[in-house]
Amino acid sequence: QTHCSQATLSRVAKDVLKYSQKANSEKTPILIGFTPREVDSFHSNPGALSTAMGQLNSLITGLNQAMEFDRKSLWNLMNRALAIATSDERSDTPNSGGPNGEINFL
């Protein structure tokens, strides 16, 4: 092994150790209002159950919006990467402007 490969392996090992220590020291996430005791109380408390369902629906809506934004961002980034890879940096849509596209990229 070369000096560079040994240094790289050492650096990766240190990074893995640091990440594992951080991950192993974190607490298990629990949604506010959804501790085991609170979930058990839903059987006897319709108001708490209704509130919890509202919170979950709101969370699902927010996550769906974030996912849609991420999909659009990824699509745009993929098109941009393809434009760069194919030397068509005029736009985010490869070959969109044809020969005249280069002068109309702004």
PDB file of all heavy atoms in Angstrom, residues 65-98:
ATOM      1  N   GLN A  65     -45.231  17.679   0.466  1.00  0.00           N
ATOM      2  CA  GLN A  65     -44.786  18.909  -0.188  1.00  0.00           C
ATOM      3  C   GLN A  65     -43.265  18.930  -0.313  1.00  0.00           C
ATOM      4  O   GLN A  65     -42.725  19.305  -1.363  1.00  0.00           O
ATOM      5  CB  GLN A  65     -45.269  20.131   0.593  1.00  0.00           C
ATOM      6  CG  GLN A  65     -46.752  20.374   0.488  1.00  0.00           C
ATOM      7  CD  GLN A  65     -47.238  21.462   1.433  1.00  0.00           C
ATOM      8  OE1 GLN A  65     -46.529  21.885   2.349  1.00  0.00           O
ATOM      9  NE2 GLN A  65     -48.465  21.926   1.212  1.00  0.00           N
ATOM     10  N   ALA A  66     -42.574  18.521   0.746  1.00  0.00           N
ATOM     11  CA  ALA A  66     -41.110  18.483   0.702  1.00  0.00           C
ATOM     12  C   ALA A  66     -40.631  17.480  -0.336  1.00  0.00           C
ATOM     13  O   ALA A  66     -39.671  17.738  -1.074  1.00  0.00           O
ATOM     14  CB  ALA A  66     -40.553  18.140   2.082  1.00  0.00           C
ATOM     15  N   MET A  67     -41.294  16.326  -0.424  1.00  0.00           N
ATOM     16  CA  MET A  67     -40.915  15.306  -1.388  1.00  0.00           C
ATOM     17  C   MET A  67     -41.122  15.807  -2.818  1.00  0.00           C
ATOM     18  O   MET A  67     -40.277  15.581  -3.693  1.00  0.00           O
ATOM     19  CB  MET A  67     -41.717  14.024  -1.141  1.00  0.00           C
ATOM     20  CG  MET A  67     -41.274  12.856  -1.989  1.00  0.00           C
ATOM     21  SD  MET A  67     -42.008  11.276  -1.517  1.00  0.00           S
ATOM     22  CE  MET A  67     -43.749  11.636  -1.557  1.00  0.00           C
ATOM     23  N   GLU A  68     -42.212  16.505  -3.066  1.00  0.00           N
ATOM     24  CA  GLU A  68     -42.475  17.043  -4.402  1.00  0.00           C
ATOM     25  C   GLU A  68     -41.422  18.082  -4.782  1.00  0.00           C
ATOM     26  O   GLU A  68     -40.921  18.097  -5.906  1.00  0.00           O
ATOM     27  CB  GLU A  68     -43.879  17.658  -4.461  1.00  0.00           C
ATOM     28  CG  GLU A  68     -44.264  18.171  -5.820  1.00  0.00           C
ATOM     29  CD  GLU A  68     -44.320  17.087  -6.889  1.00  0.00           C
ATOM     30  OE1 GLU A  68     -44.541  15.907  -6.558  1.00  0.00           O
ATOM     31  OE2 GLU A  68     -44.128  17.425  -8.069  1.00  0.00           O
ATOM     32  N   PHE A  69     -41.067  18.938  -3.826  1.00  0.00           N
ATOM     33  CA  PHE A  69     -40.016  19.927  -4.068  1.00  0.00           C
ATOM     34  C   PHE A  69     -38.696  19.229  -4.377  1.00  0.00           C
ATOM     35  O   PHE A  69     -37.973  19.617  -5.304  1.00  0.00           O
ATOM     36  CB  PHE A  69     -39.867  20.852  -2.859  1.00  0.00           C
ATOM     37  CG  PHE A  69     -38.744  21.836  -2.994  1.00  0.00           C
ATOM     38  CD1 PHE A  69     -38.921  23.003  -3.716  1.00  0.00           C
ATOM     39  CD2 PHE A  69     -37.511  21.585  -2.406  1.00  0.00           C
ATOM     40  CE1 PHE A  69     -37.883  23.913  -3.847  1.00  0.00           C
ATOM     41  CE2 PHE A  69     -36.469  22.490  -2.541  1.00  0.00           C
ATOM     42  CZ  PHE A  69     -36.658  23.653  -3.266  1.00  0.00           C
ATOM     43  N   ASP A  70     -38.367  18.186  -3.602  1.00  0.00           N
ATOM     44  CA  ASP A  70     -37.128  17.448  -3.828  1.00  0.00           C
ATOM     45  C   ASP A  70     -37.119  16.794  -5.208  1.00  0.00           C
ATOM     46  O   ASP A  70     -36.093  16.781  -5.894  1.00  0.00           O
ATOM     47  CB  ASP A  70     -36.915  16.384  -2.748  1.00  0.00           C
ATOM     48  CG  ASP A  70     -36.562  16.982  -1.396  1.00  0.00           C
ATOM     49  OD1 ASP A  70     -36.210  18.180  -1.353  1.00  0.00           O
ATOM     50  OD2 ASP A  70     -36.634  16.246  -0.401  1.00  0.00           O
ATOM     51  N   ARG A  71     -38.247  16.245  -5.612  1.00  0.00           N
ATOM     52  CA  ARG A  71     -38.331  15.626  -6.944  1.00  0.00           C
ATOM     53  C   ARG A  71     -38.080  16.654  -8.043  1.00  0.00           C
ATOM     54  O   ARG A  71     -37.350  16.399  -9.001  1.00  0.00           O
ATOM     55  CB  ARG A  71     -39.706  14.997  -7.157  1.00  0.00           C
ATOM     56  CG  ARG A  71     -39.865  13.666  -6.496  1.00  0.00           C
ATOM     57  CD  ARG A  71     -41.181  13.036  -6.921  1.00  0.00           C
ATOM     58  NE  ARG A  71     -41.351  11.772  -6.253  1.00  0.00           N
ATOM     59  CZ  ARG A  71     -42.447  11.393  -5.625  1.00  0.00           C
ATOM     60  NH1 ARG A  71     -43.496  12.186  -5.613  1.00  0.00           N
ATOM     61  NH2 ARG A  71     -42.512  10.224  -5.041  1.00  0.00           N
ATOM     62  N   LYS A  72     -38.701  17.827  -7.918  1.00  0.00           N
ATOM     63  CA  LYS A  72     -38.504  18.870  -8.924  1.00  0.00           C
ATOM     64  C   LYS A  72     -37.053  19.343  -8.932  1.00  0.00           C
ATOM     65  O   LYS A  72     -36.469  19.544 -10.004  1.00  0.00           O
ATOM     66  CB  LYS A  72     -39.438  20.053  -8.656  1.00  0.00           C
ATOM     67  CG  LYS A  72     -40.877  19.765  -8.990  1.00  0.00           C
ATOM     68  CD  LYS A  72     -41.770  20.951  -8.674  1.00  0.00           C
ATOM     69  CE  LYS A  72     -43.228  20.621  -8.978  1.00  0.00           C
ATOM     70  NZ  LYS A  72     -44.124  21.727  -8.607  1.00  0.00           N
ATOM     71  N   SER A  73     -36.477  19.501  -7.749  1.00  0.00           N
ATOM     72  CA  SER A  73     -35.080  19.939  -7.668  1.00  0.00           C
ATOM     73  C   SER A  73     -34.157  18.907  -8.287  1.00  0.00           C
ATOM     74  O   SER A  73     -33.241  19.249  -9.038  1.00  0.00           O
ATOM     75  CB  SER A  73     -34.678  20.178  -6.207  1.00  0.00           C
ATOM     76  OG  SER A  73     -35.415  21.232  -5.661  1.00  0.00           O
ATOM     77  N   LEU A  74     -34.401  17.640  -7.986  1.00  0.00           N
ATOM     78  CA  LEU A  74     -33.575  16.577  -8.543  1.00  0.00           C
ATOM     79  C   LEU A  74     -33.708  16.528 -10.058  1.00  0.00           C
ATOM     80  O   LEU A  74     -32.719  16.370 -10.777  1.00  0.00           O
ATOM     81  CB  LEU A  74     -33.953  15.229  -7.931  1.00  0.00           C
ATOM     82  CG  LEU A  74     -33.121  14.033  -8.387  1.00  0.00           C
ATOM     83  CD1 LEU A  74     -31.645  14.240  -8.079  1.00  0.00           C
ATOM     84  CD2 LEU A  74     -33.624  12.763  -7.717  1.00  0.00           C
ATOM     85  N   TRP A  75     -34.923  16.673 -10.559  1.00  0.00           N
ATOM     86  CA  TRP A  75     -35.142  16.679 -12.011  1.00  0.00           C
ATOM     87  C   TRP A  75     -34.341  17.806 -12.663  1.00  0.00           C
ATOM     88  O   TRP A  75     -33.667  17.604 -13.673  1.00  0.00           O
ATOM     89  CB  TRP A  75     -36.634  16.833 -12.301  1.00  0.00           C
ATOM     90  CG  TRP A  75     -36.944  16.960 -13.756  1.00  0.00           C
ATOM     91  CD1 TRP A  75     -37.285  18.088 -14.430  1.00  0.00           C
ATOM     92  CD2 TRP A  75     -36.920  15.916 -14.733  1.00  0.00           C
ATOM     93  NE1 TRP A  75     -37.487  17.813 -15.761  1.00  0.00           N
ATOM     94  CE2 TRP A  75     -37.267  16.479 -15.977  1.00  0.00           C
ATOM     95  CE3 TRP A  75     -36.639  14.557 -14.670  1.00  0.00           C
ATOM     96  CZ2 TRP A  75     -37.341  15.741 -17.137  1.00  0.00           C
ATOM     97  CZ3 TRP A  75     -36.721  13.818 -15.839  1.00  0.00           C
ATOM     98  CH2 TRP A  75     -37.065  14.414 -17.048  1.00  0.00           C
ATOM     99  N   ASN A  76     -34.411  19.004 -12.077  1.00  0.00           N
ATOM    100  CA  ASN A  76     -33.672  20.143 -12.626  1.00  0.00           C
ATOM    101  C   ASN A  76     -32.161  19.910 -12.560  1.00  0.00           C
ATOM    102  O   ASN A  76     -31.437  20.226 -13.507  1.00  0.00           O
ATOM    103  CB  ASN A  76     -34.037  21.430 -11.883  1.00  0.00           C
ATOM    104  CG  ASN A  76     -35.449  21.874 -12.173  1.00  0.00           C
ATOM    105  OD1 ASN A  76     -36.008  21.548 -13.208  1.00  0.00           O
ATOM    106  ND2 ASN A  76     -36.041  22.608 -11.254  1.00  0.00           N
ATOM    107  N   LEU A  77     -31.695  19.354 -11.443  1.00  0.00           N
ATOM    108  CA  LEU A  77     -30.263  19.094 -11.308  1.00  0.00           C
ATOM    109  C   LEU A  77     -29.795  18.024 -12.290  1.00  0.00           C
ATOM    110  O   LEU A  77     -28.701  18.119 -12.846  1.00  0.00           O
ATOM    111  CB  LEU A  77     -29.931  18.685  -9.872  1.00  0.00           C
ATOM    112  CG  LEU A  77     -30.033  19.808  -8.838  1.00  0.00           C
ATOM    113  CD1 LEU A  77     -29.917  19.241  -7.433  1.00  0.00           C
ATOM    114  CD2 LEU A  77     -28.962  20.851  -9.087  1.00  0.00           C
ATOM    115  N   MET A  78     -30.616  17.004 -12.495  1.00  0.00           N
ATOM    116  CA  MET A  78     -30.252  15.959 -13.455  1.00  0.00           C
ATOM    117  C   MET A  78     -30.167  16.538 -14.864  1.00  0.00           C
ATOM    118  O   MET A  78     -29.223  16.231 -15.614  1.00  0.00           O
ATOM    119  CB  MET A  78     -31.260  14.809 -13.406  1.00  0.00           C
ATOM    120  CG  MET A  78     -31.123  13.958 -12.169  1.00  0.00           C
ATOM    121  SD  MET A  78     -32.413  12.712 -11.954  1.00  0.00           S
ATOM    122  CE  MET A  78     -32.520  11.962 -13.541  1.00  0.00           C
ATOM    123  N   ASN A  79     -31.129  17.373 -15.230  1.00  0.00           N
ATOM    124  CA  ASN A  79     -31.073  18.007 -16.546  1.00  0.00           C
ATOM    125  C   ASN A  79     -29.849  18.900 -16.678  1.00  0.00           C
ATOM    126  O   ASN A  79     -29.210  18.953 -17.725  1.00  0.00           O
ATOM    127  CB  ASN A  79     -32.349  18.803 -16.821  1.00  0.00           C
ATOM    128  CG  ASN A  79     -33.492  17.912 -17.238  1.00  0.00           C
ATOM    129  OD1 ASN A  79     -33.291  16.891 -17.868  1.00  0.00           O
ATOM    130  ND2 ASN A  79     -34.694  18.290 -16.865  1.00  0.00           N
ATOM    131  N   ARG A  80     -29.526  19.597 -15.615  1.00  0.00           N
ATOM    132  CA  ARG A  80     -28.342  20.471 -15.638  1.00  0.00           C
ATOM    133  C   ARG A  80     -27.078  19.646 -15.792  1.00  0.00           C
ATOM    134  O   ARG A  80     -26.183  19.990 -16.569  1.00  0.00           O
ATOM    135  CB  ARG A  80     -28.288  21.313 -14.364  1.00  0.00           C
ATOM    136  CG  ARG A  80     -27.194  22.335 -14.380  1.00  0.00           C
ATOM    137  CD  ARG A  80     -27.518  23.440 -15.395  1.00  0.00           C
ATOM    138  NE  ARG A  80     -26.413  24.350 -15.447  1.00  0.00           N
ATOM    139  CZ  ARG A  80     -25.819  24.721 -16.573  1.00  0.00           C
ATOM    140  NH1 ARG A  80     -26.262  24.298 -17.720  1.00  0.00           N
ATOM    141  NH2 ARG A  80     -24.807  25.532 -16.544  1.00  0.00           N
ATOM    142  N   ALA A  81     -26.998  18.533 -15.067  1.00  0.00           N
ATOM    143  CA  ALA A  81     -25.826  17.659 -15.174  1.00  0.00           C
ATOM    144  C   ALA A  81     -25.698  17.097 -16.580  1.00  0.00           C
ATOM    145  O   ALA A  81     -24.590  17.021 -17.134  1.00  0.00           O
ATOM    146  CB  ALA A  81     -25.920  16.531 -14.144  1.00  0.00           C
ATOM    147  N   LEU A  82     -26.827  16.695 -17.167  1.00  0.00           N
ATOM    148  CA  LEU A  82     -26.791  16.195 -18.545  1.00  0.00           C
ATOM    149  C   LEU A  82     -26.356  17.285 -19.515  1.00  0.00           C
ATOM    150  O   LEU A  82     -25.608  17.025 -20.467  1.00  0.00           O
ATOM    151  CB  LEU A  82     -28.161  15.655 -18.949  1.00  0.00           C
ATOM    152  CG  LEU A  82     -28.538  14.307 -18.352  1.00  0.00           C
ATOM    153  CD1 LEU A  82     -29.992  13.979 -18.669  1.00  0.00           C
ATOM    154  CD2 LEU A  82     -27.616  13.223 -18.867  1.00  0.00           C
ATOM    155  N   ALA A  83     -26.816  18.504 -19.282  1.00  0.00           N
ATOM    156  CA  ALA A  83     -26.421  19.611 -20.156  1.00  0.00           C
ATOM    157  C   ALA A  83     -24.921  19.834 -20.079  1.00  0.00           C
ATOM    158  O   ALA A  83     -24.255  20.040 -21.101  1.00  0.00           O
ATOM    159  CB  ALA A  83     -27.180  20.883 -19.774  1.00  0.00           C
ATOM    160  N   ILE A  84     -24.375  19.765 -18.881  1.00  0.00           N
ATOM    161  CA  ILE A  84     -22.934  19.950 -18.710  1.00  0.00           C
ATOM    162  C   ILE A  84     -22.179  18.780 -19.334  1.00  0.00           C
ATOM    163  O   ILE A  84     -21.196  18.958 -20.042  1.00  0.00           O
ATOM    164  CB  ILE A  84     -22.582  20.112 -17.220  1.00  0.00           C
ATOM    165  CG1 ILE A  84     -23.128  21.453 -16.705  1.00  0.00           C
ATOM    166  CG2 ILE A  84     -21.078  20.005 -16.992  1.00  0.00           C
ATOM    167  CD1 ILE A  84     -23.084  21.610 -15.211  1.00  0.00           C
ATOM    168  N   ALA A  85     -22.665  17.551 -19.090  1.00  0.00           N
ATOM    169  CA  ALA A  85     -21.983  16.358 -19.598  1.00  0.00           C
ATOM    170  C   ALA A  85     -21.996  16.294 -21.118  1.00  0.00           C
ATOM    171  O   ALA A  85     -21.078  15.747 -21.729  1.00  0.00           O
ATOM    172  CB  ALA A  85     -22.630  15.100 -19.015  1.00  0.00           C
ATOM    173  N   THR A  86     -23.029  16.847 -21.733  1.00  0.00           N
ATOM    174  CA  THR A  86     -23.126  16.800 -23.194  1.00  0.00           C
ATOM    175  C   THR A  86     -22.661  18.104 -23.831  1.00  0.00           C
ATOM    176  O   THR A  86     -22.925  18.355 -25.005  1.00  0.00           O
ATOM    177  CB  THR A  86     -24.566  16.492 -23.646  1.00  0.00           C
ATOM    178  OG1 THR A  86     -25.436  17.516 -23.138  1.00  0.00           O
ATOM    179  CG2 THR A  86     -25.012  15.129 -23.149  1.00  0.00           C
ATOM    180  N   SER A  87     -21.992  18.923 -23.048  1.00  0.00           N
ATOM    181  CA  SER A  87     -21.475  20.214 -23.507  1.00  0.00           C
ATOM    182  C   SER A  87     -22.568  21.112 -24.042  1.00  0.00           C
ATOM    183  O   SER A  87     -22.354  21.932 -24.921  1.00  0.00           O
ATOM    184  CB  SER A  87     -20.396  20.011 -24.587  1.00  0.00           C
ATOM    185  OG  SER A  87     -19.316  19.309 -24.042  1.00  0.00           O
ATOM    186  N   ASP A  88     -23.780  20.959 -23.534  1.00  0.00           N
ATOM    187  CA  ASP A  88     -24.898  21.813 -23.916  1.00  0.00           C
ATOM    188  C   ASP A  88     -25.276  22.645 -22.703  1.00  0.00           C
ATOM    189  O   ASP A  88     -26.329  22.492 -22.131  1.00  0.00           O
ATOM    190  CB  ASP A  88     -26.088  20.969 -24.394  1.00  0.00           C
ATOM    191  CG  ASP A  88     -27.229  21.841 -24.920  1.00  0.00           C
ATOM    192  OD1 ASP A  88     -27.015  23.055 -25.080  1.00  0.00           O
ATOM    193  OD2 ASP A  88     -28.314  21.298 -25.162  1.00  0.00           O
ATOM    194  N   GLU A  89     -24.384  23.527 -22.315  1.00  0.00           N
ATOM    195  CA  GLU A  89     -24.592  24.322 -21.106  1.00  0.00           C
ATOM    196  C   GLU A  89     -25.436  25.560 -21.354  1.00  0.00           C
ATOM    197  O   GLU A  89     -25.535  26.437 -20.512  1.00  0.00           O
ATOM    198  CB  GLU A  89     -23.247  24.705 -20.504  1.00  0.00           C
ATOM    199  CG  GLU A  89     -22.439  23.494 -20.078  1.00  0.00           C
ATOM    200  CD  GLU A  89     -21.124  23.873 -19.454  1.00  0.00           C
ATOM    201  OE1 GLU A  89     -21.140  24.719 -18.547  1.00  0.00           O
ATOM    202  OE2 GLU A  89     -20.094  23.329 -19.874  1.00  0.00           O
ATOM    203  N   ARG A  90     -26.070  25.618 -22.497  1.00  0.00           N
ATOM    204  CA  ARG A  90     -26.897  26.776 -22.823  1.00  0.00           C
ATOM    205  C   ARG A  90     -28.166  26.815 -21.987  1.00  0.00           C
ATOM    206  O   ARG A  90     -28.717  27.854 -21.720  1.00  0.00           O
ATOM    207  CB  ARG A  90     -27.260  26.759 -24.304  1.00  0.00           C
ATOM    208  CG  ARG A  90     -26.061  26.824 -25.221  1.00  0.00           C
ATOM    209  CD  ARG A  90     -26.501  26.836 -26.669  1.00  0.00           C
ATOM    210  NE  ARG A  90     -26.914  25.544 -27.163  1.00  0.00           N
ATOM    211  CZ  ARG A  90     -26.102  24.568 -27.507  1.00  0.00           C
ATOM    212  NH1 ARG A  90     -24.805  24.725 -27.360  1.00  0.00           N
ATOM    213  NH2 ARG A  90     -26.563  23.431 -27.997  1.00  0.00           N
ATOM    214  N   SER A  91     -28.667  25.627 -21.603  1.00  0.00           N
ATOM    215  CA  SER A  91     -29.921  25.586 -20.868  1.00  0.00           C
ATOM    216  C   SER A  91     -29.949  24.339 -20.017  1.00  0.00           C
ATOM    217  O   SER A  91     -29.066  23.499 -20.088  1.00  0.00           O
ATOM    218  CB  SER A  91     -31.103  25.569 -21.831  1.00  0.00           C
ATOM    219  OG  SER A  91     -31.180  24.303 -22.460  1.00  0.00           O
ATOM    220  N   ASP A  92     -30.970  24.203 -19.211  1.00  0.00           N
ATOM    221  CA  ASP A  92     -31.134  23.019 -18.387  1.00  0.00           C
ATOM    222  C   ASP A  92     -31.815  21.896 -19.147  1.00  0.00           C
ATOM    223  O   ASP A  92     -32.010  20.817 -18.629  1.00  0.00           O
ATOM    224  CB  ASP A  92     -31.943  23.350 -17.127  1.00  0.00           C
ATOM    225  CG  ASP A  92     -31.128  24.207 -16.174  1.00  0.00           C
ATOM    226  OD1 ASP A  92     -29.893  24.143 -16.246  1.00  0.00           O
ATOM    227  OD2 ASP A  92     -31.729  24.925 -15.380  1.00  0.00           O
ATOM    228  N   THR A  93     -32.220  22.163 -20.395  1.00  0.00           N
ATOM    229  CA  THR A  93     -32.823  21.137 -21.237  1.00  0.00           C
ATOM    230  C   THR A  93     -31.849  20.864 -22.374  1.00  0.00           C
ATOM    231  O   THR A  93     -31.687  21.699 -23.262  1.00  0.00           O
ATOM    232  CB  THR A  93     -34.176  21.606 -21.791  1.00  0.00           C
ATOM    233  OG1 THR A  93     -35.002  22.007 -20.705  1.00  0.00           O
ATOM    234  CG2 THR A  93     -34.856  20.484 -22.559  1.00  0.00           C
ATOM    235  N   PRO A  94     -31.171  19.706 -22.350  1.00  0.00           N
ATOM    236  CA  PRO A  94     -30.173  19.433 -23.380  1.00  0.00           C
ATOM    237  C   PRO A  94     -30.753  19.547 -24.788  1.00  0.00           C
ATOM    238  O   PRO A  94     -31.872  19.126 -25.049  1.00  0.00           O
ATOM    239  CB  PRO A  94     -29.756  17.992 -23.076  1.00  0.00           C
ATOM    240  CG  PRO A  94     -30.064  17.807 -21.626  1.00  0.00           C
ATOM    241  CD  PRO A  94     -31.276  18.654 -21.368  1.00  0.00           C
ATOM    242  N   ASN A  95     -29.976  20.152 -25.671  1.00  0.00           N
ATOM    243  CA  ASN A  95     -30.323  20.321 -27.089  1.00  0.00           C
ATOM    244  C   ASN A  95     -31.627  21.092 -27.286  1.00  0.00           C
ATOM    245  O   ASN A  95     -32.297  20.933 -28.302  1.00  0.00           O
ATOM    246  CB  ASN A  95     -30.420  18.963 -27.790  1.00  0.00           C
ATOM    247  CG  ASN A  95     -29.122  18.210 -27.719  1.00  0.00           C
ATOM    248  OD1 ASN A  95     -28.069  18.767 -27.990  1.00  0.00           O
ATOM    249  ND2 ASN A  95     -29.190  16.959 -27.315  1.00  0.00           N
ATOM    250  N   SER A  96     -31.979  21.924 -26.343  1.00  0.00           N
ATOM    251  CA  SER A  96     -33.265  22.616 -26.440  1.00  0.00           C
ATOM    252  C   SER A  96     -33.283  23.702 -27.490  1.00  0.00           C
ATOM    253  O   SER A  96     -34.308  23.953 -28.109  1.00  0.00           O
ATOM    254  CB  SER A  96     -33.631  23.229 -25.090  1.00  0.00           C
ATOM    255  OG  SER A  96     -32.688  24.235 -24.762  1.00  0.00           O
ATOM    256  N   GLY A  97     -32.173  24.359 -27.691  1.00  0.00           N
ATOM    257  CA  GLY A  97     -32.181  25.485 -28.606  1.00  0.00           C
ATOM    258  C   GLY A  97     -31.581  25.215 -29.957  1.00  0.00           C
ATOM    259  O   GLY A  97     -31.539  26.100 -30.807  1.00  0.00           O
ATOM    260  N   GLY A  98     -31.106  24.011 -30.153  1.00  0.00           N
ATOM    261  CA  GLY A  98     -30.466  23.702 -31.420  1.00  0.00           C
ATOM    262  C   GLY A  98     -29.234  24.586 -31.619  1.00  0.00           C
ATOM    263  O   GLY A  98     -28.667  25.097 -30.667  1.00  0.00           O
TER     264      GLY A  98
END
